[in-house]
Amino acid sequence: MTLEQLVRLTTTMFLHGGWLHVLSNMLYLWIFGDNVEDRMGHFNYLVFYLISGYLASLVHIFVDPVSNSPLIGASGAIAGILGAYLLLYPRARVLTLVFIVFFIQIIPIPAVIFLGLWFFLQLMSGTAGLSAQAVQGVAFWAHIGGFVAGVALVKFFAGGERVRY
């Protein structure tokens, strides 16, 4: 990989497709990122974030090497943080807005269930997106690659045992 390609992959992690894209990424970063950063330390967290983002981008490129859509956003790197959170805080409760017909509830859901469901939805969407008729626009395979990278790399950056709740 050339320096120019590395710079391109880095800048894609800081570009977004609109305000909703930025806000949704920042929401996930706000909910999950601070705990992971506290556990890893500032420098390790930055390196972990960047490596997760690079690996997420490479998975997306590998799965769809002829894509005409630009690869932008921090979603792959943030997915790495979600993977790390899953291993570090599996029993933590994630306050989740749930719509039940006309009723709206805020329910605490264990992180292992919340993030497991999130990953499953990414995997199903990514698999469906492999068909020629699929509408492009979301880099589901970058999400999947980032999440798997986070799970694989967390012990090298966080060390120690997982947190028990």
Side-chain angles (χ1 to χ4, degrees), residues 5-94:
Q5 291 169 326
L6 187 63
V7 169
R8 284 184 186 178
L9 285 179
T10 303
T11 57
T12 64
M13 285 187 258
F14 298 97
L15 299 173
H16 287 82
W19 284 108
L20 182 60
H21 191 199
V22 171
L23 294 174
S24 62
N25 277 338
M26 292 305 103
L27 178 63
Y28 273 82
L29 196 57
W30 178 53
I31 292 169
F32 300 103
D34 63 338
N35 293 325
V36 175
E37 183 178 15
D38 287 345
R39 185 67 182 271
M40 291 182 177
H42 303 308
F43 181 76
N44 280 355
Y45 181 75
L46 174 63
V47 173
F48 176 83
Y49 179 90
L50 291 172
I51 291 173
S52 294
Y54 296 143
L55 292 173
S57 296
L58 292 175
V59 167
H60 173 75
I61 291 166
F62 177 78
V63 171
D64 193 3
V66 294
S67 173
N68 291 324
S69 299
L71 179 61
I72 59 172
S75 304
I78 293 172
I81 291 168
L82 300 182
Y85 192 93
L86 175 67
L87 292 186
L88 294 173
Y89 307 99
R91 296 184 198 162
R93 301 280 181 184
V94 179

